[in-house]
Amino acid sequence: MPVLETSGIRKRFGGTEILKGISVRVEKGEVLAVIGPSGSGKSTLLRCITQLETVDSGEIRICGETLVQNGPDGRAVYSSRKTCGRIALHVGLVFQNFNLFPHFSVLRNITEAPIHVLGKTKAEAEASAMELLKKMGLSDRSGAFPCQLSGGQQQRVSIARALAMNPDVLLFDEPTSALDPELTGEILEVMRGLAAEKMTMVVVTHEMAFARDVADQVAFLEDGAVVEQGPPEQVFGRSQNERVRAFLSRFSQG
C-alpha cells in the first residue's frame, strides 16, 4: 500500500487550469523528486496534498485513507472534517521560506504543535525537540529566535519542526531556493540523511544532482501535467521525451 497516491487531480485558479490530471504514487521509504520548469504546478501539487488548497477533481489517498475522491458528478468530494484532520497528521511540509514564528524561540517553534495538536506534555515535547536539534546540529540554538539564525539554520529548524509531528511522509517545497550555495549544501546533506533513514519524502526541487543521486523516482512536470515519471537513471539518462532532455541538458552543461 503506497503512503501517498494521487489520481487524476485537477486544480483551476480562475480561468487557468494549474493541475491537469496529475497522478503520482510514493511507497513507504521512497523519495520522489518533482522537477520541471517554474510555473509547472509543482508547488500547487504539494499544497493540494497538504490541504492548503482544494482540488476540483481527482483522488488523494494518504496512508490508506481517502482525503478526496470524485462524486457522481465528477467533482471532488472531501472526507469529513474529522477524517481530513486525521489525515493531515500523516503529512509534514517544509516551506520554501521557512515560515517560523518570529516571536517564538527555536525550541518553542518545534514544541508548539506537538503540545497543542498531539497532546504531548511540555517535557515530552522538549525532550523530543532537543533530540531533533541535535540531529540538525543545532543543540546550542534552542533559545535563539529565528532572526538570530542564518537561513540554513532556519531551514534546519523548520525540518525539525516538521519531524516533531512524526509524519509518515515529509514534503519539501523547494527547500533550498532561498539559500546561497553554501547553505544549500547544509540542507541537502540533512535531506540525504533522512533519505538514508528511509523517510518517505516528496521533494520539489531545482537541485538536479540531488534528484538524480538520492531520489527513487523522479516526476517531470510541465504545464500542469506529468510529462515523464520513472527512476532517475531513466529520466536523467534514457529519457525518450525531447522536452525532458532539453530541460536537463541545461543543468548538465552547467
Side-chain angles (χ1 to χ4, degrees):
M1 181 185 71
V3 173
L4 168 67
E5 187 172 19
T6 74
S7 179
I9 61 172
R10 293 180 176 272
K11 174 65 180 177
R12 181 181 294 275
F13 290 112
T16 305
E17 192 172 34
I18 304 299
L19 301 181
K20 302 175 180 178
I22 288 187
S23 300
V24 296
R25 178 185 175 107
V26 187
E27 302 290 341
K28 184 175 176 61
E30 277 191 341
V31 177
L32 170 67
V34 183
I35 64 173
S38 297
S40 57
K42 303 184 300 296
S43 293
T44 301
L45 172 62
L46 295 194
R47 291 178 66 83
C48 290
I49 293 168
T50 54
Q51 304 181 51
L52 293 173
E53 300 285 355
T54 56
V55 301
D56 299 321
S57 63
E59 182 174 325
I60 300 174
R61 292 176 60 83
I62 298 172
C63 294
E65 291 197 88
T66 299
L67 173 66
V68 59
Q69 59 188 336
N70 287 334
D73 61 357
R75 296 181 180 180
V77 177
Y78 277 79
S79 296
S80 68
R81 181 176 295 183
K82 182 178 179 181
T83 299
C84 289
R86 184 173 63 247
I87 291 173
L89 296 178
H90 292 299
V91 183
L93 175 61
V94 177
F95 294 90
Q96 183 175 347
N97 292 312
F98 323 138
N99 281 29
L100 298 174
F101 295 112
H103 56 297
F104 286 176
S105 69
V106 164
L107 187 62
R108 190 173 173 191
N109 261 285
I110 297 171
T111 60
E112 195 75 357
I115 291 170
H116 295 288
V117 178
L118 298 183
K120 288 190 175 184
T121 67
K122 184 178 180 182
E124 288 172 335
E126 289 186 348
S128 175
M130 290 306 298
E131 281 297 314
L132 287 168
L133 286 174
K134 181 179 179 181
K135 187 174 185 176
M136 298 294 150
L138 294 171
S139 297
D140 60 337
R141 306 299 280 160
S142 63
F145 287 83
C147 65
Q148 298 172 310
L149 304 178
S150 70
Q153 289 173 328
Q154 289 187 60
Q155 192 61 293
R156 280 182 277 158
V157 172
S158 69
I159 294 171
R161 180 179 61 180
L163 289 171
M165 295 296 286
N166 297 313
D168 292 285
V169 56
L170 192 54
L171 312 183
F172 291 84
D173 187 5
E174 298 188 18
T176 62
S177 64
L179 304 175
D180 65 36
E182 185 175 2
L183 299 180
T184 291
E186 291 181 14
I187 301 307
L188 293 178
E189 197 58 38
V190 169
M191 294 167 66
R192 287 174 188 271
L194 292 173
E197 295 171 6
K198 293 299 181 182
M199 179 77 207
T200 308
M201 298 190 287
V202 179
V203 184
V204 168
T205 185
H206 290 294
E207 299 292 335
M208 295 300 113
F210 176 88
R212 183 190 63 221
D213 299 340
V214 180
D216 299 289
Q217 293 284 320
V218 177
F220 183 92
L221 266 63
E222 184 170 54
D223 194 27
V226 177
V227 174
E228 183 168 7
Q229 183 172 348
E233 56 269 23
Q234 171 194 317
V235 176
F236 284 89
R238 302 193 305 273
S239 176
Q240 299 303 303
N241 186 286
E242 184 178 340
R243 177 66 187 101
V244 174
R245 292 201 306 271
F247 177 84
L248 293 175
S249 69
R250 295 182 299 135
F251 293 94
S252 59
Q253 288 167 5

